[in-house]
Amino acid sequence: MNRRVLFMLAGAVSAVLPAIAFAETQLTVYTAIEAVDLDRYKATFEKAHPDIKINWVRDSTGVMTAKLLAEKDNPQADVVWGLAATSLLLLKAEGMLEPYQPKGVEDLDKKFVDNDTPPGWVGMDAYVAALCYNTVEGERLGLKAPTSWEDLTKPEYKGHIVMPNPASSGTGFLNVSGWMQLWGEEKAWAYMDKLHENISAYTHSGSKPCKMAGAGEAVIGVSFEFPGAKAKSAGAPIDIIFPSEGSGWEAEATAIIAGTPNLEAAETLVDWSITKEANEMYNVGYAVVAYPGVAKAVEHLPSDISSKMIDNDFEWAANSRTAILKEWQKRYDAKSEPKS
Amino acid sequence: MNFALEASHLPLTGKRLRQEASRDDLVKLGFMAVIGLYLIVALAAPLFVMLSKSLSTYRFELAAFEFQVSDETGANWGPVVSAAELNRELGAVADTELSTNSDGRLAATKFFPEFKFRSPVHYRIRGTTDDAAFLVGSTREKGTAWREYDSGTFRRVVLRPASSLGFENFRTYFSTPALAQSIHNSVLMAAISTVVTISIAFALAYGLTRSCMPLKGLFRGILTIPILVPSLLPGIALVYLFGNQGVFKDWLMGYSIYGPIGIVIGSVFFTLPHAFLIILTALSIADARHYEAAASLKASKWRTFTTVTVPGARYGIVSAAFVVFTLVITDFGLPKVIGGQYGMLAVDIYKQVIGQQNFEMGAVVSVILLVPAVLAFAVDRRMQRRQVALLSARAVPYVPKRNARMDTLCFAFAGLVSLFILGMIAMCQIAAIVKFWPYDLALTAKNFAFDLMDGGGWAAYANSIRLALLTALFGSVVVFAGAYMVEKADGFRFGRSIFHFLAMMPMAVPGMVLGLAYIFFFNNPANPLHPIYGTMTILVVCTVTHFYTVAHLTALTALKQMDPEFESVAASLKQPFHRLFFRVTVPVCLPAILDIAIYLFVNAMTTVSAVVFLYATGTKLASVAVLNMDDAGDIAPAAAMGMMIFYTNIAAKLIHALIARGLLARTQAWR
């Protein structure tokens, strides 16, 4: 009799125990991380914190940002992990982010941390503007590979360059804001006036110009380094070129959505997202990561990309965005407009 | 009314005579209310919310901000001045620059021309209302308390706009050349595509009905293929055929496929079946007696054609023209893939909302896009009403006679068009299995590894099938029940006509507009229906609503063929209407119900524009995956996913044919 009760008790306890030990918190995490990486990120984090489960909501940067803003009055996400810093600044300006000073944030490269205290977002990695140059088509047309932004305005490239539209692509905007920060607004507009003459199309997505160059649809794609390396691995005859003047860049970053009911778990995730271990994980795809000294060279990309990155002022970019886009659309958006 | 009976001098006792609503009628009324409510919640209310969104404007209210500036010591403060006063003095910001979008920002330093970064001067700012908001860097501050900043920080202060109602967004829209240009472009593209498509469709339908060309059945099948693929697919095929690395690039003689040329070719491809089927129906109901009369009057072939054939099909042609026009002007997938820099309204909505998070401007473009679509729809309705029955009981079906030259010509033309359609599909199939076009033409299956692509993996494909099945099932029930109420319920004339109007509306509403309206309506936390946001339910509701009209008309046509005597007989036999409904109406209309189901299935598989704003991670769709993969430049996988949709639809069509044959054998023996 006693034994049976004990046995039952033991059974009950062993059934309940894991449930207590792993009282898991579910975090709804919005992200724009590439689909290929999602499972790996989730697995690595959940191994370090078995009590927290991640539910991904993934979409492209533009859709994710629009979704978050549309849900402004009724946020559905707990954490945003892996969204462009400028997008997070938009959310911050709406008061949607919970400022948080993650453990170990002082180890990170300063340019990857929001400059408020406590920071609104903390960075993971960077994507850096680059050119994808199709060597086969270039040779066929007798063109030389460009080495600088200035080169792109040479008349010989007329009609051979594809660039993302800053009004619909974050990569497009980081280029424009990059040129403005490099040269000042006036010179940047003069440059774009000349560049516009050579552009055959403005695409809606930032990685598409590189893929178009890879497929020979264009000779030069203004894009960023990541799709370039990917296309090259897939067999595209392209060179990835970092213009000599320096490149605009964007950070992928992490932030907590204000009012989350799972604040503690969210903080745990953000703490972990800036650890050395997490940065090593980012480095599998990204050549530049926020934790200094972690980054190893990625296949097809040079090891010194971080030296090409300009001194980027995210805050300036975010606050000037509306005005810049308005002017950009006025100048260039009606490219196909019949000239009469 | 019988006055004699009601005359007051007669001692009238008992109940007044009046037709009593039977229990059946009450049940019918209840049904109609439920389905009417569905249409209001799923269509009218979201559209209304969107309209009000387009009128929500943003403006910097300068009077709502006050400043105070210290002297060089930073201790003594000057007078309090509002931004409005400063601007009146300085003229720093023009009035037109004050209206902005929801993300507008205005630097506070604009009002201080003497402002110096790193000076010892301090600045204070406050709002005069509780809602006045400004940013310091990107941190939001709000309210009427004074806040003090040194000059280095004050440089980072930007004002935020306040929202109000007005037509400002429309003014901005029409004063932005690139945006206003889109109206012109969209109308032009739709007009050209309509003319081309209708000409081709008419020639084809003519060949099929008026000649003795061989292989008519086969051509009929091939000509309807484009319905089975998303409108993005012809865009992708055109890139491979005529793009810069295209197989037939030289055919374009230096012109680019990215732009008007691509849009027109692609539009003709995907609208052809719609026009073809409508005109074919119109031409099929020819009365041979007219032709005999023409022949006996010795009218020339051409004269017969212009006086008998064309007028007979006139309404079909007009109707088809409006369908094509509406389809082209509201389509979003094709111009996005192949449109290049050629601005179109539907793509502008996407660019405003996804690219710039400017929801208000997206709503403005939507409202503008509604105008031509509603106009086309209204004109078409008017024309339809004037349609008189051509096929009287005494009509004699027309049987074409052999004519070698004519038959060969028709056959050659149909063959050419079929080749074009099959060529486009074949190109996509090739693109889907080639390793790296055009540099490595080895065959591969890796483009079908959707799980490794951004935009949605195999799960998206499974979701699409789920959506299509649910839409077909739920949609057939709702649509047929609704049509039954409109057609067979007696009484409630007013309610029925409102209901009919609501049912006709979705035809004029572009999918993209409907999708955007759904975000505004259902993602409002105050909406009790909010929980369906981000679920499969909202996708089903949206898809059923989006394709409601054609399904409704199909059901209505089938029901009209049923003699109303059935109802009278059932009523006199004191049979409840549901018994009649399930025992007679449904079995008799089964072919039509099956047609509605397959129509909804196929369209749910290919729809992009309505659902592009509404899917969530768990409910990604194959058609959206095609869009996203193409967007990311992964064109081959996009083609592969597009072909999966195509094959699924072919399979669905075959299953539909089998079920139809099996069921019809059992239920349609009476025919």
Side-chain angles (χ1 to χ4, degrees):
Chain A
M1 179 73 182
N2 262 347
R3 249 177 54 194
R4 224 170 96 193
V5 170
L6 261 178
F7 188 72
M8 276 167 64
L9 252 172
V13 167
S14 65
V16 168
L17 257 186
I20 294 169
F22 296 104
E24 33 175 76
T25 314
Q26 305 260 342
L27 280 183
T28 302
V29 181
Y30 279 22
T31 186
I33 296 171
E34 306 269 327
V36 202
D37 294 332
L38 286 182
D39 287 342
R40 191 161 52 87
Y41 284 20
K42 179 181 160 84
T44 320
F45 170 73
E46 286 176 356
K47 213 174 115 194
H49 294 278
D51 50 335
I52 301 172
K53 285 272 168 292
I54 289 177
N55 294 320
W56 291 121
V57 176
R58 195 251 163 220
D59 221 309
S60 67
T61 308
V63 175
M64 212 71 258
T65 313
K67 197 174 165 68
L68 278 155
L69 285 171
E71 293 170 355
K72 182 165 75 182
D73 299 327
N74 187 24
Q76 310 286 313
D78 297 308
V79 177
V80 182
W81 183 17
L83 191 67
T86 15
S87 291
L88 291 176
L89 283 179
L90 280 181
L91 304 183
K92 190 179 163 193
E94 300 294 340
M96 287 176 70
L97 300 188
E98 175 82 40
Y100 173 62
Q101 178 99 30
K103 289 188 196 87
V105 71
E106 55 286 345
D107 293 337
L108 290 193
D109 188 337
K110 283 285 158 293
K111 61 185 175 217
F112 283 96
V113 183
D114 182 28
N115 53 17
D116 263 346
T117 347
W121 56 269
V122 282
M124 312 153 55
D125 48 47
Y127 48 98
V128 185
L131 303 175
C132 291
Y133 174 77
N134 188 309
T135 51
V136 174
E137 301 302 316
E139 196 173 322
R140 196 174 60 79
L141 293 161
L143 299 174
K144 257 175 59 191
T147 60
S148 64
W149 293 118
E150 206 56 54
D151 278 355
L152 295 185
T153 58
K154 287 185 186 165
E156 63 205 75
Y157 294 126
K158 192 173 174 69
H160 294 307
I161 305 174
V162 179
M163 168 189 165
N165 185 335
S168 46
S169 149
T171 313
F173 182 71
L174 83 82
N175 275 306
V176 174
S177 92
W179 293 327
M180 293 197 157
Q181 295 182 58
L182 266 175
W183 303 320
E185 295 197 28
E186 212 165 302
K187 197 181 158 208
W189 285 119
Y191 170 76
M192 283 187 274
D193 283 346
K194 279 197 279 174
L195 179 63
H196 180 66
E197 295 299 316
N198 284 353
I199 300 278
S200 71
Y202 295 103
T203 64
H204 299 300
S205 117
S207 46
K208 194 163 184 178
C210 206
K211 308 235 174 112
M212 284 177 84
E217 279 295 301
V219 181
I220 302 170
V222 179
S223 184
F224 57 106
E225 88 288 14
F226 187 76
K230 224 169 115 185
K232 198 162 179 166
S233 312
I238 51 169
D239 279 345
I240 301 155
I241 298 165
F242 292 90
S244 55
E245 296 97 329
S247 291
W249 58 281
E250 173 73 90
E252 283 194 300
T254 313
I256 300 171
I257 295 295
T260 165
N262 302 310
L263 188 59
E264 207 175 313
E267 289 178 350
T268 310
L269 174 58
V270 175
D271 284 344
W272 188 83
S273 82
I274 61 164
T275 56
K276 197 162 177 230
E277 187 190 5
N279 276 269
E280 279 161 359
M281 176 178 80
Y282 306 145
N283 188 220
V284 173
Y286 287 85
V288 182
V289 296
Y291 202 101
V294 165
K296 290 190 199 71
V298 168
E299 197 193 3
H300 300 309
L301 294 178
S303 53
D304 61 338
I305 298 181
S306 50
S307 70
K308 321 271 186 195
M309 288 156 58
I310 63 162
D311 212 356
N312 199 1
D313 184 343
F314 290 114
E315 198 177 282
W316 177 86
N319 283 340
S320 315
R321 184 166 174 261
T322 312
I324 293 175
L325 290 184
K326 197 171 165 190
E327 178 67 19
W328 194 93
Q329 282 178 299
K330 205 165 88 195
R331 286 178 185 240
Y332 316 118
D333 212 3
K335 171 126 191 151
S336 63
E337 200 172 344
K339 290 185 181 78
S340 52
Chain B
M1 202 172 278
N2 194 331
F3 281 97
L5 272 178
E6 288 196 30
S8 55
H9 59 268
L10 283 174
L12 205 75
T13 51
K15 267 200 306 196
R16 278 179 57 181
L17 286 179
R18 140 185 115 78
Q19 196 185 349
E20 234 180 304
S22 68
R23 226 185 89 239
D24 271 6
D25 283 348
L26 282 177
V27 174
K28 284 180 187 174
L29 185 67
F31 256 111
M32 205 149 89
V34 167
I35 295 175
L37 197 68
Y38 170 87
L39 280 176
I40 288 170
V41 166
L43 185 71
L47 285 179
F48 180 77
V49 171
M50 197 191 62
L51 186 70
S52 59
K53 189 86 179 177
S54 74
L55 297 178
S56 125
T57 60
Y58 286 85
R59 199 180 155 80
F60 296 109
E61 294 302 341
L62 296 186
F65 298 96
E66 283 181 345
F67 299 105
Q68 218 178 352
V69 187
S70 81
D71 61 5
E72 295 280 319
T73 64
N76 305 313
W77 292 96
V80 173
V81 278
S82 79
E85 287 164 38
L86 288 170
N87 197 41
R88 260 196 298 282
E89 266 168 48
L90 298 165
V93 190
D95 193 53
T96 49
E97 285 175 68
L98 289 178
S99 73
T100 179
N101 58 34
S102 53
D103 190 37
R105 283 130 202 245
L106 183 64
T109 51
K110 281 216 168 196
F111 302 106
F112 300 94
E114 73 284 2
F115 173 82
K116 270 197 213 66
F117 171 43
R118 282 187 196 134
S119 77
V121 177
H122 278 228
Y123 294 81
R124 279 177 176 171
I125 176 172
R126 72 167 180 189
T128 54
T129 63
D130 287 334
D131 290 329
F134 59 93
L135 303 179
V136 183
S138 48
T139 308
R140 199 161 84 132
E141 304 286 0
K142 213 174 162 181
T144 53
W146 280 112
R147 284 163 213 274
E148 186 177 330
Y149 303 104
D150 60 36
S151 66
T153 314
F154 188 68
R155 188 180 59 151
R156 298 168 57 206
V157 171
V158 289
L159 309 184
R160 294 303 310 274
S163 78
S164 57
L165 283 177
F167 290 97
E168 211 55 51
N169 294 330
F170 286 88
R171 213 164 297 151
T172 309
Y173 181 88
F174 285 106
S175 60
T176 311
L179 290 176
Q181 177 75 25
S182 297
I183 299 180
H184 170 263
N185 290 355
S186 288
V187 172
L188 184 70
M189 285 301 100
I192 296 177
S193 308
T194 305
V195 171
V196 177
T197 305
I198 295 299
S199 313
I200 298 177
F202 185 84
L204 290 168
Y206 186 83
L208 252 63
T209 52
R210 300 289 190 276
S211 84
C212 294
M213 62 186 237
L215 301 178
K216 282 185 182 174
L218 179 69
F219 284 133
R220 256 186 96 123
I222 293 175
L223 289 172
T224 51
I225 280 181
I227 287 188
L228 307 180
V229 299
S231 67
L232 297 143
L233 214 62
I236 292 172
L238 287 172
V239 170
Y240 280 100
L241 286 169
F242 301 108
N244 294 341
Q245 296 294 332
V247 192
F248 305 114
K249 178 184 189 317
D250 301 338
W251 290 15
L252 288 179
M253 295 174 296
Y255 288 100
S256 170
I257 192 73
Y258 296 100
I261 301 177
I263 297 174
V264 169
I265 302 180
S267 299
V268 169
F269 175 86
F270 88 87
T271 57
L272 190 62
H274 301 269
F276 167 71
L277 289 176
I278 297 173
I279 298 178
L280 189 72
T281 316
L283 281 175
S284 310
I285 47 172
D287 190 340
R289 293 173 307 159
H290 292 153
Y291 286 88
E292 282 158 20
S296 58
L297 288 170
K298 299 234 179 332
S300 70
K301 280 233 173 71
W302 179 246
R303 203 176 151 78
T304 315
F305 177 76
T306 52
T307 54
V308 178
T309 313
V310 174
R314 188 168 48 204
Y315 295 105
I317 294 171
V318 171
S319 196
F322 282 119
V323 167
V324 172
F325 189 88
T326 313
L327 279 175
V328 175
I329 208 162
T330 58
D331 180 57
F332 147 80
L334 184 70
K336 183 154 187 304
V337 174
I338 198 91
Q341 298 325 110
Y342 198 74
M344 297 273 279
L345 287 169
V347 180
D348 281 352
I349 300 179
Y350 186 81
K351 245 162 64 175
Q352 289 296 332
V353 174
I354 303 299
Q356 301 179 38
Q357 286 88 43
N358 190 346
F359 295 95
E360 292 76 24
M361 198 52 89
V364 167
V365 187
S366 300
V367 170
I368 291 168
L369 189 48
L370 267 178
V371 174
V374 169
L375 275 182
F377 170 73
V379 174
D380 181 45
R381 285 290 97 198
R382 270 189 82 88
M383 296 293 286
Q384 290 291 325
R385 215 169 297 155
R386 288 202 273 156
Q387 166 87 334
V388 276
L390 273 177
L391 208 59
S392 63
R394 277 175 294 170
V396 180
Y398 177 84
V399 181
K401 293 182 202 62
R402 289 204 170 279
N403 175 337
R405 232 182 72 206
M406 177 76 190
D407 295 351
T408 320
L409 206 68
C410 290
F411 181 75
F413 186 69
L416 206 68
V417 176
S418 300
L419 207 66
F420 164 67
I421 291 172
L422 293 178
M424 295 274 268
I425 299 287
M427 192 65 239
C428 280
Q429 181 58 69
I430 293 168
I433 52 169
V434 160
K435 208 162 187 180
F436 198 90
W437 185 275
Y439 301 110
D440 184 354
L441 299 182
L443 299 186
T444 177
K446 79 171 168 58
N447 293 326
F448 287 85
F450 299 131
D451 287 337
L452 298 177
M453 316 281 171
D454 291 323
W458 279 101
Y461 174 71
N463 281 336
S464 264
I465 292 185
R466 230 175 90 214
L467 170 69
L469 287 172
L470 285 170
T471 302
L473 182 77
F474 175 64
S476 308
V477 173
V478 172
V479 169
F480 190 76
Y484 181 80
M485 294 309 151
V486 168
E487 182 60 27
K488 298 291 179 193
D490 22 61
F492 336 117
R493 194 166 293 271
F494 180 66
R496 275 163 57 188
S497 55
I498 287 186
F499 184 87
H500 186 64
F501 171 75
L502 277 176
M504 297 308 293
M505 234 166 67
M507 180 101 105
V509 180
M512 176 128 302
V513 176
L514 192 66
L516 198 55
Y518 271 37
I519 302 193
F520 297 149
F521 184 64
F522 288 104
N523 193 33
N524 181 352
N527 186 336
L529 293 167
H530 173 74
I532 75 164
Y533 187 75
T535 64
M536 185 55 101
T537 313
I538 196 169
L539 295 180
V540 174
V541 170
C542 182
T543 313
V544 169
T545 312
H546 186 193
F547 298 107
Y548 198 97
T549 307
V550 172
H552 177 74
L553 289 176
T554 310
L556 221 52
T557 313
L559 285 166
K560 274 192 201 300
Q561 287 171 349
M562 273 185 67
D563 201 319
E565 291 292 304
F566 278 112
E567 264 70 23
S568 328
V569 172
S572 59
L573 290 174
K574 296 238 182 304
Q575 291 297 311
F577 90 101
H578 60 83
R579 187 165 297 163
L580 174 75
F581 182 75
F582 287 111
R583 290 271 174 85
V584 181
T585 317
V586 169
V588 166
C589 294
L590 204 58
I593 295 176
L594 283 175
D595 282 350
I596 293 171
I598 189 74
Y599 169 84
L600 290 174
F601 183 94
V602 164
N603 277 297
M605 283 303 292
T606 61
T607 184
V608 176
S609 56
V611 290
V612 74
F613 293 129
L614 297 178
Y615 69 91
T617 310
T619 57
K620 283 218 157 153
L621 299 173
S623 53
V624 177
V626 177
L627 176 82
N628 287 345
M629 288 193 260
D630 174 81
D631 200 33
D634 296 325
I635 306 186
M641 186 65 107
M643 290 310 287
M644 287 310 300
I645 295 177
F646 172 65
Y647 291 129
T648 310
N649 276 338
I650 293 266
K653 279 263 189 193
L654 290 175
I655 293 171
H656 169 249
L658 277 177
I659 293 180
R661 191 190 288 172
L663 271 180
L664 297 193
R666 292 216 339 246
T667 59
Q668 306 289 305
W670 56 275
R671 272 183 196 259

